[in-house]
Amino acid sequence: MHTLNRTTTTEMEVTSIRLERELKDKLKELSGNVGYQALIRDILWNYVQQKSGDYQTSISPTDIRASVAAIAEKEVRCVLTGQLIRPQESMLLGFTTGGELVPLSTESLAR
């Protein structure tokens, strides 16, 4: 997990958020030496970038360990090509080496 260097913590605003204890514990486990607050910031920035269309992925075809056919329920972008996948369009769900399920266009893994 790579923390996005956007600003120093001294320049950040303090925000309080209530999390279930189990969720906080899981975030701590997943964050390793990065820290769960940095992980939460990364998750939130990724969400904002995906929704705004500015998402830049570091996933490559070699990161996909398996894929399954699927039908898009809502509009998404292929993590490899950035291609728009529209609702009811055929797509793939890729399982990454990092354990994520990611949207893929049907031709993104063509060799």
Side-chain angles (χ1 to χ4, degrees), residues 9-100:
T9 54
T10 56
E11 297 173 344
M12 293 181 186
E13 290 187 25
V14 175
T15 301
S16 176
I17 182 172
R18 295 186 184 276
L19 302 173
E20 293 88 347
R21 182 175 305 276
E22 182 182 358
L23 175 59
K24 186 176 175 182
D25 290 343
K26 291 288 185 185
L27 288 168
K28 284 181 177 182
E29 285 176 28
L30 293 171
S31 67
N33 63 356
V34 174
Y36 79 98
Q37 290 181 353
L39 176 61
I40 290 171
R41 282 193 302 275
D42 284 350
I43 292 167
L44 291 171
W45 272 116
N46 284 338
Y47 178 83
V48 167
Q49 290 173 332
Q50 283 178 327
K51 291 299 183 180
S52 67
D54 295 335
Y55 188 65
Q56 299 293 319
T57 185
S58 59
I59 295 176
S60 71
T62 58
D63 294 321
I64 306 298
R65 64 167 52 163
S67 63
V68 294
I71 302 294
E73 293 297 322
K74 61 182 181 180
E75 193 172 275
V76 293
R77 290 198 178 272
C78 172
V79 297
L80 296 177
T81 66
Q83 176 185 342
L84 190 63
I85 303 168
R86 291 184 167 61
Q88 302 309 308
E89 199 172 277
S90 293
M91 63 178 282
L92 299 171
L93 286 174
F95 185 62
T96 69
T97 54
E100 297 174 273

